[in-house]
Amino acid sequence: MEHVFVNGTNSEAPTFLLLHGTGGNEQDLIGLGREIDPEAALLGVRGSEVENGMPRFFRRLGMGIFDLDNLSERTEELATFIDEAAKQYGFDRDNVILIGYSNGANIAANIFFERGNIVKGAILHHPMVPRDDVEVPDLAGLHVWIGAGENDQMTPPEQSTALKYYLEQQGASVELFWHQHGHQLTMEEVQAAKAWYNQTFK
Ligand code: MLT
């Protein structure tokens, strides 16, 4: 997968896997990752699908209607990519945290739905429930933070509440943060994610 890797400055700090929204690329969330933890290693990755010139992590059939076979294939591709990148760059495979926005948050959520607890945690900005046709595996020990907008037209508020429920049902610990805005990523939200990260992992 197309990607960029930036070494961390503290070997104890995690590697953030950065997953952009529709139309983004591997560089998009580098600044966000730096803001969350200036010492972390950053692995920005570009989704392999392209929709009208816009990179995405998996195909969709319409707004919010996902191509579930493609979602499975791309989720496997991403999980394999994490393993290979850990070998290539020498980062600790057991100390990886996903940070995703929108489409990137959705494939991150689907990693938990289909692959289980294969990373330490995740910061999911404006995610949806990726699918409801699988039995979510055991997620004990997983830490997830969800940021959501009360006026988000793209990912309706009940999606965030439902995702929290699905993850918690399988033993993950989940914090859901609300702001009054829409689908955009706000500084208020980023600071809330950072506070949770510091409290949970430091
Ligand atoms: C998706 O397709 O993953 C969601 O609708 C969010 C987005 O448009 O990126």
Side-chain angles (χ1 to χ4, degrees), residues 21-22 56 58 60 63-64 66 102-104 106 128 154-155 183:
T22 300
R56 283 178 56 86
F58 56 88
R60 63 180 160 188
M63 286 306 266
F66 301 155
S102 193
N103 181 243
N106 291 341
M128 295 169 67
M154 192 85 90
T155 53
H183 197 61

Side-chain angles (χ1 to χ4, degrees), residues 48-182:
S48 304
E49 295 290 341
V50 179
E51 179 190 277
N52 300 323
M54 298 181 296
R56 283 178 56 86
F57 284 95
F58 56 88
R59 274 186 231 145
R60 63 180 160 188
L61 308 170
M63 286 306 266
I65 307 167
F66 301 155
D67 177 335
L68 296 178
D69 291 338
N70 180 262
L71 175 58
S72 287
E73 282 163 31
R74 292 307 187 187
T75 298
E76 191 174 335
E77 175 191 41
L78 187 59
T80 305
F81 171 77
I82 302 172
D83 295 341
E84 285 170 357
K87 285 186 205 130
Q88 184 181 349
Y89 296 109
F91 61 80
D92 181 358
R93 177 63 188 83
D94 295 330
N95 197 7
V96 174
I97 293 174
L98 310 180
I99 301 183
Y101 168 63
S102 193
N103 181 243
N106 291 341
I107 196 160
N110 198 58
I111 283 191
F112 304 133
F113 273 47
E114 289 197 53
R115 310 295 298 238
N117 202 346
I118 64 164
V119 294
K120 242 170 82 167
I123 293 175
L124 305 179
H125 296 284
H126 304 257
M128 295 169 67
V129 174
R131 64 196 310 152
D132 61 7
D133 61 335
V134 295
E135 207 164 302
V136 183
D138 179 37
L139 298 174
L142 180 71
H143 295 275
V144 179
W145 182 93
I146 298 173
E150 283 169 16
N151 295 297
D152 193 332
Q153 307 294 322
M154 192 85 90
T155 53
E158 57 271 22
Q159 284 284 322
S160 311
T161 314
L163 180 61
K164 180 177 194 277
Y165 174 79
Y166 272 103
L167 298 174
E168 280 180 342
Q169 282 290 101
Q170 301 308 323
S173 102
V174 184
E175 186 163 318
L176 178 50
F177 171 82
W178 291 101
H179 63 62
Q180 290 167 353
H181 310 283

Side-chain angles (χ1 to χ4, degrees), residues 5-17 33-34 36-43 86 89-99 120-121 197-198 200-202:
F5 180 73
V6 185
N7 261 314
T9 55
N10 175 353
S11 57
E12 304 285 295
T15 296
F16 291 153
L17 184 79
R34 266 286 152 273
I36 301 284
D37 186 345
E39 296 184 328
L42 306 174
L43 179 58
Y89 296 109
F91 61 80
D92 181 358
R93 177 63 188 83
D94 295 330
N95 197 7
V96 174
I97 293 174
L98 310 180
I99 301 183
K120 242 170 82 167
Y197 167 82
N198 284 332
T200 309
F201 295 112
K202 291 216 151 175

Side-chain angles (χ1 to χ4, degrees), residues 18-21 28-33 35-36 99-102 105 123-127 145-149 152 177 179 181-193:
L18 306 168
L19 304 161
H20 62 79
D28 268 23
L29 301 187
I30 294 288
L32 173 63
E35 180 63 32
I36 301 284
I99 301 183
Y101 168 63
S102 193
I123 293 175
L124 305 179
H125 296 284
H126 304 257
W145 182 93
I146 298 173
D152 193 332
F177 171 82
H179 63 62
H181 310 283
H183 197 61
Q184 75 271 28
L185 192 48
T186 66
M187 210 41 188
E188 177 196 4
E189 184 177 336
V190 173
Q191 291 309 326

